[in-house]
Amino acid sequence: MNNPEPHILIIFGASGDLTKRKLIPALYELFEQKLLPEKFAVLGVSRTELSDQEFRQKMREFLPGTSKNEAQLTIFLESLFYQSLETSFAGDYLKLKKRLETLGQTLSIPANYIFYLSTPPLLYPVIPQILAESGLNDVSQGFKRIIIEKPFGTDLSSARDLNRKLLSYYTEDQLYRIDHYLGKETVQNMLVTRFSNGIFEPIWNQNFIHHVEITSAETLGVEDRGGYYEHSGALRDMVQNHLMQLVGLIAMEPPVVIEANAIRNEMLKVFQSMRPIRETDVPNQVFRGQYTQSHINNEHVKGYREEKGVDPQSKTETYVAIKFFIDNFRWAGVPFYIRTGKKLPTRVTEVVIYFKTIPHHLFVYQSDSEPINNQLVLRIQPDEGILLKLGMKVPGAGFRVQTMNMDFHYNELSNSYLPSAYSRLLLDCMHGDATLYSRSDAVEKAWECVQPILDAWQNNPDIPVYGYPAGTWGPETVDNLVENSIWRKPCKNLAHDGEYCEL
């Protein structure tokens, strides 16, 4: 791969946790792999008063350090610069513009700029507008791109309003709405699994697939983010963005080419084909829950309403499970199930394809009177890999059948460089490749899919919030959502799935 064009990456909110813990380490990873341009600089921007050297020292604390790579670290840190700025004051942006011009002249870098908004969402419409009014959206002298972190709006109305404001100053190809889930190697591999293997694509449809289950579970609670989470909840925090993107990749039609617009067009079609969940359908198709106090490994665990910053009468969901359908030729009648939650037994994200059972049962099954569905498990984290569950003969007399596993693990590719999610996405933006970034129409369509759920919860106070003890798989009532009342209970380990469970 060719290195990107020389440019300056400007990080707004440079004193925040995301910059220190994710962005700068991701850039250093690219630097170590020699994937950054030869002429490159990072300009951190924040209200805090810091010198270039003080900023470098703060970032140094979050980078791996050994005597072997100290010289490399020094070279990388010298590419970091800092500019104090009041982000909501237009007059300060003249200082930013002059500083960029000075850096460009000193380091022989053309006016190619990437602006990363690692800031509170209320600044998402403010910073791009002032940048544009300061002439920093002008592409006549070099490219200008903006990376925007989630959440992209808090509902359909705010997402449309934000898109309208951004598109009044920038073209769609200048806007990069980042979702770090799409930067994960195993998420991208779902496309390769589907479209590079002739054994999967012919059966990837309603003729062979019984249902699809997507799980994103966390063992952590809200920790010290109770104040933020009260205004977010699991639906906004996980479903509208991360999990909807997974649905798009699993359900999309084959693109004509592996190119940004072709892939994003097909994902948009998935969202357009989703059967609307009406407000009256919400009580039967959507279940929400909150974790309650419990004991995990003999330690007392607080309930959500006891967390700092949380309303003692809060109805904010820490768990949500949804059943929905995609009304097109490929998926007609196939139910999709999504669930996500905090304080669950293990941290795991995976997609499970349940294939239909054979039409005529010839054999006796070892553990069940009825044969289980073949399953294809696409594990995103942890123990990343792919698992296929098959029926095999038990050794000995007769034809008794038991389920066996065929699996592949990404850690077997030990000789390959696997970039972190942020490294991959930053590098793609540097190359001008928006394949793994969300487009404005898809963002709005995803919000359209979940908005009726938010409206129903707002308008109908009788819709219950079910409690579930911390450390369990959510409210028991969600079993009624799934046919046969069977949810998969994944473990940390993908290998030996079903034989033992590591939590």
Side-chain angles (χ1 to χ4, degrees), residues 92-251:
D92 272 12
Y93 283 69
L94 294 177
K95 291 193 301 183
L96 174 62
K97 189 174 184 180
K98 289 179 181 178
R99 184 70 190 278
L100 289 171
E101 290 171 353
T102 301
L103 281 176
Q105 292 168 2
T106 305
L107 303 174
S108 301
I109 299 176
N112 293 326
Y113 304 143
I114 296 176
F115 300 98
Y116 198 115
L117 305 192
S118 177
T119 65
L122 60 88
L123 291 172
Y124 291 172
V126 176
I127 294 173
Q129 178 179 345
I130 303 177
L131 286 173
E133 291 170 348
S134 304
L136 288 170
N137 65 339
D138 181 10
V139 296
S140 60
Q141 301 299 317
F143 65 72
K144 307 293 184 294
R145 298 169 188 153
I146 295 181
I147 300 178
I148 303 170
E149 274 283 345
K150 82 170 187 76
F152 200 82
T154 57
D155 55 20
L156 177 58
S157 175
S158 60
R160 283 174 172 167
D161 186 56
L162 181 54
N163 273 333
R164 180 181 54 78
K165 289 176 179 176
L166 291 172
L167 291 169
S168 64
Y169 296 103
Y170 301 88
T171 59
E172 181 62 49
D173 61 5
Q174 291 179 280
L175 300 172
Y176 290 73
R177 300 166 189 82
I178 193 168
D179 185 334
H180 72 271
Y181 257 52
L182 292 186
K184 294 179 183 293
E185 196 73 20
T186 40
V187 171
Q188 298 157 38
N189 189 54
M190 289 195 293
L191 286 177
V192 178
T193 300
R194 281 193 59 190
F195 300 132
S196 70
N197 295 292
I199 61 173
F200 288 127
E201 187 55 25
I203 60 173
W204 209 265
N205 56 59
Q206 49 89 16
N207 293 318
F208 297 93
I209 293 177
H210 184 270
H211 68 278
V212 178
E213 183 181 298
I214 300 175
T215 296
S216 180
E218 298 180 65
T219 55
L220 295 176
V222 296
E223 308 306 309
D224 57 353
R225 299 170 66 234
Y228 160 78
Y229 204 82
E230 268 293 89
H231 301 285
S232 172
L235 189 69
R236 288 184 173 96
D237 191 47
M238 290 295 297
V239 175
Q240 185 277 329
N241 39 68
H242 301 327
L243 301 188
M244 289 292 284
Q245 297 294 329
L246 295 184
V247 170
L249 290 172
I250 284 294

Side-chain angles (χ1 to χ4, degrees), residues 423-443:
S423 294
R424 170 64 192 269
L425 292 170
L426 283 168
L427 185 61
D428 281 357
C429 181
M430 293 174 185
H431 281 290
D433 182 355
T435 302
L436 300 176
Y437 288 85
S438 300
R439 202 168 60 190
S440 59
D441 49 4
V443 168

Side-chain angles (χ1 to χ4, degrees), residues 14 44 50-59 80-82:
L50 293 173
S51 66
D52 290 344
Q53 196 56 41
E54 287 171 329
F55 179 61
R56 291 167 184 167
Q57 193 57 41
K58 283 182 174 292
M59 298 302 108
L80 307 186
F81 302 87
Y82 186 84

Side-chain angles (χ1 to χ4, degrees), residues 185-186 188-190 379 383-386 408-414 418:
E185 196 73 20
T186 40
Q188 298 157 38
N189 189 54
M190 289 195 293
R379 175 63 66 83
D383 198 15
E384 295 86 349
I386 298 174
F408 159 76
H409 302 266
Y410 263 88
N411 59 19
E412 295 172 8
L413 300 174
S414 56
L418 298 179

Side-chain angles (χ1 to χ4, degrees), residues 7 43 116 231-232 239 260 279 327 371 382 387 439 455 457 464 499:
H7 67 276
L43 180 62
Y116 198 115
H231 301 285
S232 172
V239 175
E279 283 192 46
D327 290 332
L387 171 70
R439 202 168 60 190
D455 292 341
W457 289 347
E499 299 171 26

